[in-house]
Amino acid sequence: MKNRLEELRKARGIKQEELAAILEVSRQTIGSLENGRYNPSILLAFKIARYFDMNIEDVFIYEEDAQ
């Protein structure tokens, strides 16, 4: 799953540490999300979307496997 987290965070002018504190997660979690190494829980996805005043689908892009 891809996401626009880094783009949205930078547009707001906040650091990973600041976003992590707001969302009550570690800075490493934010870094892992931004690098695509970690997919958030549904609760964290909702928190992120609400913080940016967006729908989950506008932050996280689900791509089905083409099999």
Side-chain angles (χ1 to χ4, degrees), residues 5 15-33 38 40-41 43-45 47-48:
L5 187 56
K15 296 179 181 181
Q16 286 184 342
E17 294 85 359
E18 295 169 308
L19 183 58
I22 291 164
L23 298 173
E24 300 177 324
V25 297
S26 69
R27 188 213 51 81
Q28 289 83 359
T29 297
I30 300 300
S32 293
L33 285 166
Y38 172 70
S41 68
L43 294 175
L44 181 54
K47 276 183 159 182
I48 292 167

Side-chain angles (χ1 to χ4, degrees), residues 1 5 7-8 15 33 37 46 52 63-64:
M1 177 167 46
L5 187 56
E7 167 194 343
L8 296 169
K15 296 179 181 181
L33 285 166
R37 292 188 310 255
F46 269 108
F52 289 107
E63 297 177 328
E64 291 189 41

